[in-house]
Amino acid sequence: MADRQADTAATDAAATGAAATGAATVDAAAVLRAARAAGRTTLTAPEGRLLADAYGIPTPAEGLAETADEAVALAARIGGPVALKIVSPDIPHKTDAGGVRVGLSSAAEVREAFPALVRNATAYAPEARVEGVLVQRMAPEGGLEVLVGAVTDPTFGKVVAFGLGGVLVETLKDVTFRLAPASTEDAESMLDGIRAAEVLRGVRGGPAVDRAALADLIVRVSRLAADFPEVAEIDLNPVFASPDGVLAADVRIVLGDGPPPQRRQYSEEEILASMERLMRPRSVVVVGASAEPGKIGHAVLRNLLDGGFDGAVHPVNPKGGTILGRTAYRSVADVPDGADVAVFAVPARLVPAALEEVGRKGVPNAVLIPSGFAETGEHALQERLVAIAEKYGTRLLGPNIYGYYSPWHHLCATFCTPYDVTGPVALTSQSGGIGMAVLGFARATGTGVSAIVGLGNKADVDEDDLLTYFAHDPHTRSIAMHLEDLKDGRAFVAAARKTVREKPVVVLKAGRTGAGARAAGSHTGALAGNDAVYDAILRQAGVIRAPGLDEMLEYARALPVLPTPKGENVLIVTGAGGSGVLLSDAAVDHGLRLMTVPDDLDAAFREFIPPFGAAGNPVDITGGEPPATYEAAIRLALRDPRVHALVLGYWHTLVTPPMVFAELTARVVAEFRAAGVEKPVVASLAGDTEVAEAGAYLFARGVVAYPYTTEKPVAALGAKYRWARAAGLL
């Protein structure tokens, strides 16, 4: 085989085109077709180099040698030191086979290494086809080893990866992901998105890497992955990043089966039209309505009637007659025209036939409460429902759900307990049990909701449909979603990005382990555990990921209460030094910036706090101070335009009782907001049981306050800041 020599410098390769051109793409496609025709799932190193060349990915000078003499000649031409690597389509992991030698500087070393590598490969895999030995120039010393790669995620499709590389890559697992193809902005955010980001900037006198070249490499790899559905994984590890550029020492490409079948896509207009009729129906049909208490069909009908829904409600039961004072129709076909929603409360086996009737009737939405579908292994039955619904243009919510609530429209279409407190929070859950926890939390905290929606198996309607609706819903100001999976991760990201510009989206993603990583064919694949990709892509989408159910619910109700901050400066004012320390720690943990208090503001605080207190940040007014000191400190912080958010730490004393503190704080905050000074204010209340009442009083008046915790109020403020940054408001 004739040897092939590459560009001799990373900078030369990086300068040869911004992306794959038409001709380069044809070359890459030909390489992939040849590998497929040979029945291989892994490209050889020379094939990987061809794809790298096509996309302007800088690699070391190299060539393929079939004999020891050719290897010696190549090494002399390339210039040492060199590495020798066995080339075999049947040996994907060269190091395991003893098929790699590095740091060879002399002709004698190269001549001795060539047959040794061939012997090792033959002993490791006797049936393996050995095509030769790759002779590759060693990367210059001093470069930082990083990994750049791509993988096909089952939820999000092609994603690009970046992190620390080399031998510790799977130990440290310091890696982040973005959707492919990635923009330059995405790539630059990845450089700052790993724990070791400071290393890239240079530490302890070390030089910074060429960030532009590294970001460009990430973009190129992401384009290669996105251009070819059959490329399952790309692994450049190590990539040597230095002040002079980047160099991919090893290119590994794994082939897969191509993209999965696409789900049916709906336009934004189609989604809004259907969801509007789901959430604001004029008429509802209950399929399987029952007069017998204890039956799901009875509970659904009772909730609809008792909730004050002012549209028409039509029970459907094959026995006909009257149910709860309403005429019961024997078939959906007999129901008067104009129904917007059909709620199903019949056994799973009866759903397909009834859904046919609903479709023929032209009802645009079917709410499938019954279980017994994909969640129990009945995938074919669920797929049958989807086919029927698509035939008639009916959208499916469910199956296997508790129903849904639309309180602003007095709609309670569920067999669970009713809830009718209207407000700005939309809540969704994939699990019925979590859905009832959501409802219980709302009731216990008095949280007003715009919707509570069960999603269940998500045979059709899923989170991106609801996000599209909630983004336009005037009653919704924050959205919280519990999910176990996403049916279409890219559709969710697209919907979330649009929604986050206007309203915060909080996500609780259940299931933090990634079993898929066990079967990965590369370092990148092994690192792309399910949760690792979810975490990075959700952040890319701008949503706030909650660590637990309590946080999801608290963020959802707190975010509409807090005004949007106009800057990053956070000030802590506390009556207890210990609380101040904990509040400071929490602020750092949640990405908040504690302002450096200017000298004039520091002096202003010192005028009214005792000499044994402390100005600075936190401002410690001490616990024995009267209400006037608390009020003066709050007023000063709200008045100063350099303070953008205020964290209060209250300590219960008889000098300033809890409700006195709550009332003065609420009064002062309301006064400033009436004057146009709107800053987020949160409070931590430490004390006896009275602080719980004081906290509730403050929360109801626009100050997010919690008793017995320093973490929760700061976490809520941190969530508000994360949303404001994602929305481009800071």
Side-chain angles (χ1 to χ4, degrees):
M1 178 182 294
D3 61 85
R4 178 178 53 83
Q5 191 162 354
D7 299 325
T8 57
T11 51
D12 294 337
T16 59
T21 62
T25 303
V26 170
D27 291 341
V31 172
L32 296 172
R33 283 197 303 271
R36 282 287 199 190
R40 292 189 281 111
T41 59
T42 304
L43 299 189
T44 63
E47 289 170 333
R49 173 60 182 266
L50 284 172
L51 265 66
D53 287 349
Y55 278 77
I57 295 170
T59 56
E62 62 181 37
L64 182 67
E66 295 181 330
T67 66
D69 287 341
E70 289 181 2
V72 170
L74 271 171
R77 189 182 314 158
I78 290 171
V82 298
L84 267 59
K85 303 175 182 179
I86 201 73
V87 176
S88 170
D90 304 312
I91 303 177
H93 299 289
K94 301 179 289 293
T95 302
D96 294 347
V100 178
R101 291 280 184 90
V102 298
L104 307 179
S105 300
S106 68
E109 289 176 319
V110 172
R111 189 175 298 280
E112 182 275 331
F114 185 97
L117 294 181
V118 175
R119 287 195 302 271
N120 290 347
T122 303
Y124 178 80
E127 304 300 322
R129 294 163 291 168
V130 176
E131 296 181 353
V133 171
L134 190 72
V135 181
Q136 184 182 77
R137 178 188 291 166
M138 295 284 292
E141 293 185 2
L144 178 68
E145 293 188 27
V146 299
L147 172 145
V148 178
V151 69
T152 305
D153 182 80
T155 298
F156 298 103
K158 295 297 178 64
V159 296
V160 63
F162 169 74
L164 290 186
V167 295
L168 296 179
V169 60
E170 290 183 34
T171 301
L172 298 177
K173 296 182 179 179
D174 190 6
V175 64
T176 189
F177 300 86
R178 297 292 185 275
L179 295 178
S183 66
T184 299
E185 183 181 4
D186 291 332
E188 289 172 347
S189 74
M190 295 177 79
L191 303 185
D192 295 323
I194 61 172
R195 296 189 300 275
E198 286 298 319
V199 175
L200 303 177
R201 301 185 184 98
V203 294
R204 295 189 177 181
V209 305
D210 185 339
R211 291 174 62 88
L214 192 49
D216 181 66
L217 176 61
I218 293 171
V219 170
R220 291 173 185 272
V221 170
S222 78
R223 288 174 180 164
L224 171 56
D227 283 349
F228 295 100
E230 63 268 41
V231 172
E233 297 176 23
I234 302 172
D235 198 43
L236 309 186
N237 183 40
V239 171
F240 291 95
S242 71
D244 302 319
V246 293
L247 200 65
D250 197 15
V251 179
R252 177 171 166 74
I253 297 176
V254 179
L255 305 183
D257 298 325
Q262 292 294 308
R263 303 176 73 212
R264 178 171 175 176
Q265 301 295 311
Y266 295 91
S267 69
E268 181 173 321
E269 292 73 19
E270 290 173 323
I271 292 171
L272 287 174
S274 177
M275 293 301 101
E276 181 75 14
R277 295 182 71 178
L278 175 71
M279 304 304 294
R280 301 178 61 181
R282 297 162 297 173
S283 176
V284 177
V285 176
V286 180
V287 181
S290 173
E292 184 179 343
K295 293 283 186 86
I296 289 178
H298 180 87
V300 171
L301 184 60
R302 171 67 69 187
N303 276 340
L304 282 168
L305 297 177
D306 291 352
F309 175 60
D310 57 8
V313 179
H314 302 299
V316 172
N317 186 296
K319 296 179 182 179
T322 301
I323 302 176
L324 296 180
R326 300 294 176 108
T327 299
Y329 298 91
R330 296 180 184 277
S331 166
V332 176
D334 301 330
V335 172
D337 292 337
D340 293 310
V341 176
V343 182
F344 282 64
V346 295
R349 70 182 186 280
L350 302 179
V351 172
L355 185 59
E356 285 275 2
E357 292 186 358
V358 165
R360 286 194 293 268
K361 193 69 177 178
V363 181
N365 295 286
V367 177
L368 306 181
I369 289 176
S371 57
F373 296 93
E375 83 282 0
T376 61
E378 294 290 344
H379 297 279
L381 183 58
Q382 184 165 306
E383 290 169 4
R384 184 180 170 194
L385 298 185
V386 174
I388 294 170
E390 289 188 351
K391 179 171 65 172
Y392 293 105
T394 301
R395 299 301 307 270
L396 303 179
L397 180 63
N400 185 33
I401 64 172
Y402 51 85
Y404 73 112
Y405 304 76
S406 187
W408 283 100
H409 308 292
H410 311 291
L411 181 72
C412 183
T414 173
F415 64 95
C416 299
T417 57
Y419 191 71
D420 60 0
V421 181
T422 57
V425 182
L427 300 154
T428 76
S429 67
Q430 197 167 341
S431 157
I434 298 300
M436 290 306 95
V438 165
L439 187 146
F441 174 88
R443 194 183 305 281
T445 58
T447 300
V449 301
S450 61
I452 302 176
V453 183
L455 283 165
N457 295 1
K458 297 190 289 194
D460 177 18
V461 172
D462 59 10
E463 287 85 1
D464 53 271
D465 293 294
L466 292 174
L467 276 178
T468 300
Y469 171 76
F470 292 140
H472 291 81
D473 177 32
H475 297 298
T476 299
R477 290 174 50 205
S478 75
I479 303 143
M481 296 180 151
H482 157 265
L483 58 92
E484 295 170 0
D485 63 359
L486 288 170
K487 298 296 184 183
D488 188 339
R490 286 182 174 256
F492 175 85
V493 169
R497 281 173 165 167
K498 290 182 179 179
T499 306
V500 164
R501 295 172 194 161
E502 305 294 334
K503 305 173 183 181
V505 179
V506 182
V507 168
L508 171 60
K509 168 62 176 69
R512 295 177 179 271
T513 59
R518 290 196 294 268
S522 69
H523 293 293
T524 304
L527 291 167
N530 184 269
D531 193 65
V533 175
Y534 262 99
D535 193 61
I537 302 301
L538 290 177
R539 190 179 303 115
Q540 183 184 8
V543 307
I544 301 161
R545 185 171 183 185
L549 179 59
D550 182 63
E551 289 88 350
M552 181 192 86
L553 297 171
E554 291 292 0
Y555 293 170
R557 77 173 179 125
L559 289 171
V561 172
L562 293 171
T564 301
K566 296 179 173 60
E568 296 280 0
N569 286 339
V570 176
L571 180 69
I572 298 172
V573 174
T574 180
S579 293
V581 173
L582 292 176
L583 290 168
S584 299
D585 289 343
V588 173
D589 289 342
H590 290 280
L592 299 175
R593 187 175 75 193
L594 293 177
M595 71 179 294
T596 300
V597 178
D599 291 342
D600 62 314
L601 182 58
D602 182 83
F605 276 115
R606 291 184 184 277
E607 287 183 7
F608 57 80
I609 64 175
F612 47 86
N617 195 3
V619 177
D620 182 5
I621 68 173
T622 75
E625 288 301 293
T629 306
Y630 274 104
E631 181 167 342
I634 295 170
R635 284 186 177 278
L636 182 56
L638 293 178
R639 187 181 304 118
D640 194 304
R642 295 167 293 185
V643 178
H644 301 129
L646 184 58
V647 178
L648 302 176
Y650 165 75
W651 178 25
H652 183 171
T653 68
L654 296 179
V655 178
T656 304
M659 282 305 297
V660 171
F661 167 79
E663 289 168 355
L664 77 85
T665 300
R667 172 172 48 80
V668 172
V669 169
E671 176 187 321
F672 274 85
R673 289 180 181 172
V677 179
E678 295 192 339
K679 299 179 183 181
V681 180
V682 302
S684 165
L685 287 75
D688 212 331
T689 54
E690 296 97 318
V691 297
E693 179 186 1
Y697 181 92
L698 283 167
F699 215 120
R701 288 159 181 80
V703 176
V704 172
Y706 294 95
Y708 321 124
T709 172
T710 53
E711 177 69 22
K712 277 189 174 183
V714 179
L717 182 61
K720 189 74 177 189
Y721 264 94
R722 293 205 299 279
W723 168 70
R725 295 180 191 120
L729 300 175
L730 285 176

